[in-house]
Amino acid sequence: MTAVLDLAVPVITVLALLAVGFDLTQADFTKVRQHPGIVAAGLFSPLFMLPPLAAGLIVLFDPSPAIRGGLLLIAACPIGGISNTYSYLAGASVALSVTLTAISSLLAAATIPLLDRGMGLLLGTQFGLTAPIALILGQLLVMLALPVSVGMWIRATRPAFAKRAQPVFRLVAFLALGALMTLVIGRDLSGFLGGLRETLPLAVGFIVGSFAIGWGVARVIGATRPDRFTLATEFATRNVAVATTIAVTLLHRVEFALFATAYLLIEIPLMLAAIGIYRSRAQ
């Protein structure tokens, strides 16, 4: 299961972000720079709001140590690159999503240890976390900057092709996410279902709760509807690859990585549902 995710999620993300570039111009990023308050809210509000949400869920459900540690690790990680795909599929503020993902990842070297200390104060559970800098920088280059830049270059040099290809890529990305879910769950259906009893309420609670918090923060600061969806998505989407790397290579706790994998499998259908609701209400 992990091997499939390790290969398929990056491929889907790169293809989707190539199409994201078809839909972006420098003017879109200029608009983002004109609203620094939204960027600041998207970057710093999760640092103060997501750890208490995770702590509250742990107190409420009293999960096993493996689930507890996995959830705390997810809450400490930066924004996941797949959030750009979600905003793109929804037709929300993609330039804002790309900006927040990139800056959140760059700040992770400082935010992950700080959040670890903060959660240690909340729950008495501290792992001594550090950020895998090489992995984060690699993700930024290969899975974010490069495909978006190539897509923007194609739009600038071949606008007619980019206009025709953009909806095709959007559909392919949407279908690929659904196919990925079916493939991964189908390969180990009994194992997936067996772990849902404990994993599902924590993951759903955190995803839905963080999405709602992000939407609420966006409303408070007067963000537009597309910006609200993007901020909500950025709150709810954590970098599972970073969480897995920390769990396996730094903490030597494979069970934390298993929770991160399950979290992503639960996140994808929930976010696809949110995208469907958002797009249906926009019509």
Side-chain angles (χ1 to χ4, degrees):
M1 180 183 296
T2 301
V4 174
L5 288 174
D6 288 345
L7 176 62
V9 171
V11 170
I12 292 170
T13 301
V14 167
L15 289 175
L17 288 178
L18 179 64
V20 164
F22 293 164
D23 205 35
L24 288 176
T25 65
Q26 289 296 331
D28 295 314
F29 290 100
T30 299
K31 291 178 183 177
V32 171
R33 291 195 296 269
Q34 292 172 350
H35 298 88
I38 296 177
V39 175
L43 288 173
F44 298 111
S45 296
L47 302 180
F48 299 100
M49 296 181 173
L50 297 190
L53 172 62
L57 290 169
I58 287 171
V59 171
L60 178 63
F61 290 100
D62 190 26
S64 66
I67 303 297
R68 178 191 302 246
L71 179 60
L72 293 177
L73 183 56
I74 286 289
C77 282
I79 298 167
I82 199 173
S83 64
N84 309 143
T85 304
Y86 297 147
S87 285
Y88 168 67
L89 293 175
S93 301
V94 181
L96 175 61
S97 178
V98 171
T99 300
L100 290 174
T101 301
I103 300 176
S104 171
S105 297
L106 290 173
L107 294 175
T111 59
I112 288 177
L114 286 175
L115 288 174
D116 182 42
R117 294 181 183 179
M119 288 185 289
L121 294 175
L122 280 173
L123 295 173
T125 302
Q126 189 169 318
F127 302 113
L129 299 182
T130 57
I133 302 301
L135 173 66
I136 290 173
L137 293 179
Q139 285 185 329
L140 283 176
L141 176 62
V142 177
M143 292 179 58
L144 184 61
L146 184 60
V148 170
S149 298
V150 170
M152 293 178 68
W153 176 78
I154 292 174
R155 171 172 175 153
T157 57
R158 300 183 62 187
F161 171 80
K163 185 176 182 180
R164 292 194 305 270
Q166 194 261 2
V168 175
F169 273 76
R170 188 194 299 266
L171 178 61
V172 169
F174 190 90
L175 294 176
L177 284 174
L180 174 64
M181 287 295 305
T182 302
L183 175 63
V184 173
I185 293 175
R187 289 186 64 181
D188 188 17
L189 180 59
S190 60
F192 178 76
L193 294 176
L196 282 182
R197 184 179 63 83
E198 189 174 24
T199 303
L200 186 63
L202 271 296
V204 170
F206 189 80
I207 294 165
V208 173
S210 55
F211 187 95
I213 291 171
W215 189 279
V217 168
R219 290 199 64 172
V220 168
I221 63 177
T224 63
R225 187 170 182 270
D227 287 350
R228 291 179 196 173
F229 185 88
T230 292
L231 250 66
T233 299
E234 301 297 294
F235 273 57
T237 308
R238 301 291 98 192
N239 196 317
V240 170
V242 169
T244 301
T245 300
I246 292 174
V248 175
T249 64
L250 300 179
L251 301 179
H252 306 290
R253 300 292 296 270
V254 177
E255 65 272 24
F256 293 174
L258 293 176
F259 175 82
T261 300
Y263 180 91
L264 179 61
L265 291 175
I266 294 166
E267 172 197 298
I268 291 174
L270 288 178
M271 293 307 304
L272 291 178
I275 290 167
I277 294 171
Y278 176 82
R279 291 183 66 88
S280 68
R281 292 186 176 180
Q283 296 174 352

